[in-house]
Amino acid sequence: MRLILLGPPGAGKGTQATRLEDKFGIKQLSTGDMLRAAVASGSEVGRQAKAVMERGDLVSDDLVIGVISDRIDQDDVAGGYILDGFPRTVAQAEALGALLAKKGSRLDVVIEMQVDDAALVDRISGRFSCGKCGEGYHDRHKKPAKDGICDKCGSTEFKRRADDNAETVASRLKVYHEQTAPLIAYYREQGLLRSIDGMADIDMVTGAMVEILEGIAATSGKAAAK
Ligand code: AP5
Ligand code: MG
């Protein structure tokens, strides 16, 4: 199964991708996570991406298409993947379509997560994650069960993203509306778009996505939920 989670910053793409990864056994491919890892490692890709990400702009199409093109060629994603944060421009979507066509494969679905801008700012400003395993949390919506201890790995170290400040968030939302939102119409025209209410609570959003994916699995004979 190959799918895209399409939604604005803070919509819950990463939160839901992790859950779908566990449930369906398909890998989450987050270009944001890949670029942050590149920045942390000081690689050439990271050097080019760092300042752009800190401003809340998009890194160049060529750079990110190169990153994803290498990644989807690897054996561990032969059975499918969840694209989180890619594509983000029509040029990226066209490049993805061409890469898949070359491999003789195609996307199964694009799930659009609809969330109001005010809720996005609240979600992003309260977000933090485990410094060890990466599990995501929120100051109000998803606290660790025991204060200061990661539910998943027990670590006591947490971190916040460099681009989660008020100024950068405003710029990321503007960029989303101008450059990424046109993909909604793009994929609707291809008959691949399914839209869900991303304002619902985290479990309900997962439920809506699982329903869509199980429907596809049932009709296509692809791997169903575990
Ligand atoms: P990226 O890392 O992709 O960031 P983003 O798209 O801005 O999305 P976020 O990761 O901020 O949000 P999310 O939707 O994953 O939400 P989350 O699940 O964490 O990209 C970062 C940067 O990298 C870009 O700005 C750009 O510079 C660059 N980049 C990346 N890909 C690129 C590309 N393809 N092209 C060019 N540049 C690229 O949830 C947010 C919070 O809300 C969490 O605290 C969570 O607990 C909470 N939450 C989640 N769901 C709910 C819910 N239903 N109710 C209440 N709270 C919720
Ligand atoms: Mg994310």
Side-chain angles (χ1 to χ4, degrees), residues 49-128:
K50 187 170 187 287
V52 182
M53 292 173 78
E54 280 169 2
R55 281 200 306 274
D57 284 338
L58 296 183
V59 305
S60 76
D61 286 336
D62 285 351
L63 188 140
V64 80
I65 290 164
V67 167
I68 212 76
S69 150
D70 291 345
R71 186 65 186 92
I72 63 176
D73 262 346
Q74 292 168 7
D75 290 346
D76 64 329
V77 295
Y81 42 78
I82 305 158
L83 290 170
D84 158 5
F86 181 91
R88 258 173 145 101
T89 62
V90 171
Q92 291 180 20
E94 286 170 348
L96 175 66
L99 284 171
L100 291 174
K102 220 160 99 186
K103 292 168 178 293
S105 67
R106 60 186 297 279
L107 289 168
D108 291 291
V109 66
V110 177
I111 302 181
E112 182 217 353
M113 307 172 72
Q114 298 177 330
V115 183
D116 299 347
D117 279 9
L120 297 171
V121 173
D122 167 67
R123 288 185 188 181
I124 291 174
S125 55
R127 170 171 52 193
F128 60 100

Side-chain angles (χ1 to χ4, degrees), residues 13-15 28 30 33 36 84 127 161:
K13 302 181 295 294
T15 302
Q28 169 195 17
S30 157
D33 288 348
R36 278 184 288 280
D84 158 5
R127 170 171 52 193
R161 269 169 49 177

Side-chain angles (χ1 to χ4, degrees), residues 191-208:
L192 286 170
L193 192 80
R194 301 288 300 271
S195 300
I196 58 151
D197 177 16
M199 294 293 288
D201 72 31
I202 295 176
D203 288 343
M204 286 176 71
V205 174
T206 308

